[in-house]
Amino acid sequence: PPGFGGPTECHMWNFGSCHDGDVALGSGPGCTARGAMMGSFDHQRYGRGNAYRGCGVVTGVAEYDCCNCWRLKDHVEATVEPGPAAPQPTLTVNATQSLRGASAGGGP
């Protein structure tokens, strides 16, 4: 998903660049969520976090058999800046005009 990275972006040589406790299952060709169970890792050198296991997917990383994605630490959500507001229609009333004596029904 946008703002998330896989093992290449978040682990191996890039440990510390993702929130290891904030994991999501990736999707796409070769990825499945079937059999996924939340697990955890506790790496002596790099720390601990969460990871899905049990999918049976060949990911190229022995520890992960699911398409794990962790939230990137330096990701900034794209925001849409509002443009200038459209001018609001205004109603100008001539305050000196008078309707006294006018009949709504058109009769006397």
Side-chain angles (χ1 to χ4, degrees), residues 56-70:
V57 176
V58 176
T59 63
V61 180
E63 295 86 15
Y64 308 121
D65 68 341
C66 290
C67 298
N68 287 291
C69 300
W70 294 270

Side-chain angles (χ1 to χ4, degrees), residues 25 32-39 51-56 65-68:
L25 279 169
T32 181
R34 190 175 311 128
M37 294 176 14
M38 177 63 74
Y52 286 97
R53 291 187 167 79
C55 300
D65 68 341
C66 290
C67 298
N68 287 291

Side-chain angles (χ1 to χ4, degrees), residues 6-82:
T8 303
E9 295 83 16
C10 297
H11 291 177
M12 298 184 215
W13 357 194
N14 292 316
F15 261 103
S17 57
C18 295
H19 296 279
D20 291 329
D22 191 356
V23 64
L25 279 169
S27 61
C31 290
T32 181
R34 190 175 311 128
M37 294 176 14
M38 177 63 74
S40 62
F41 61 87
D42 190 357
H43 194 278
Q44 177 181 338
R45 184 172 177 190
Y46 301 115
R48 62 181 128 210
N50 295 326
Y52 286 97
R53 291 187 167 79
C55 300
V57 176
V58 176
T59 63
V61 180
E63 295 86 15
Y64 308 121
D65 68 341
C66 290
C67 298
N68 287 291
C69 300
W70 294 270
R71 187 166 51 93
L72 297 165
K73 286 184 178 177
D74 62 355
H75 179 72
V76 177
E77 290 293 325
T79 57
V80 176
E81 292 292 324

Side-chain angles (χ1 to χ4, degrees), residues 98-104 107-108:
S98 175
L99 297 177
R100 268 188 232 152
S103 171

